[in-house]
Amino acid sequence: QVQLVESGGGLVQTGGSLRLSCAASGRTGDNYHMGWFRQAPGKEREFVAAISYSGGTTSYADSVKGRFTISRDNAKSTVYLQMNSLKPEDTAVYYCAAYIVWTAYSDYRRMNYWGKGTLVTVSP
């Protein structure tokens, strides 16, 4: 089992920045890839960014490419999501996920573990 706890959400104005963190515990010695998803009210959960276990490969949704950066520190069992140039449409609950099969990175139904989420609100 892997437990994931997100932090760093909050209220920010358009154009501002936030950094989300996701701390993993439990079987963190396994080679899990990590991802961030988000879910706005009334919408389906959507892929935001993913990073391979080694950190050598990343992937981003087109909507955040160039604005968000995913990174990880395996020594700290922590994954980060740096969010810059935030827009009101980025408002959502952001979830951290851990998974085994890299090619599943954009499919929320194939994630193995989830955190409880952290709310990001971007005001106009």
Side-chain angles (χ1 to χ4, degrees), residues 48-114:
V48 175
I51 188 166
S52 62
Y53 172 75
S54 68
T57 303
T58 57
S59 183
Y60 296 92
D62 287 342
S63 59
V64 306
K65 205 170 290 185
R67 300 188 297 123
F68 291 11
T69 303
I70 189 171
S71 61
R72 67 189 297 164
D73 184 340
N74 286 345
K76 296 182 179 180
S77 298
T78 301
V79 177
Y80 306 97
L81 185 68
Q82 178 66 44
M83 306 187 295
N84 299 328
S85 302
L86 283 161
K87 305 174 181 180
E89 50 263 45
D90 294 318
T91 295
V93 177
Y94 283 71
Y95 297 91
C96 176
Y99 59 104
I100 296 172
V101 180
W102 170 250
T103 53
Y105 66 87
S106 63
D107 188 346
Y108 70 88
R109 295 163 293 185
R110 297 180 65 185
M111 298 297 107
N112 298 96
Y113 300 101
W114 289 98

Side-chain angles (χ1 to χ4, degrees), residues 5-13 16-23 36-38 68 79-83 86 90-96 116-123:
V5 179
E6 303 94 337
S7 61
L11 174 64
V12 64
Q13 291 184 332
S17 299
L18 283 174
R19 188 175 84 152
L20 306 183
S21 299
C22 172
W36 288 95
F37 290 76
R38 66 187 182 187
F68 291 11
V79 177
Y80 306 97
L81 185 68
Q82 178 66 44
M83 306 187 295
L86 283 161
D90 294 318
T91 295
V93 177
Y94 283 71
Y95 297 91
C96 176
K116 293 185 177 181
T118 185
L119 177 63
V120 172
T121 304
V122 184
S123 62

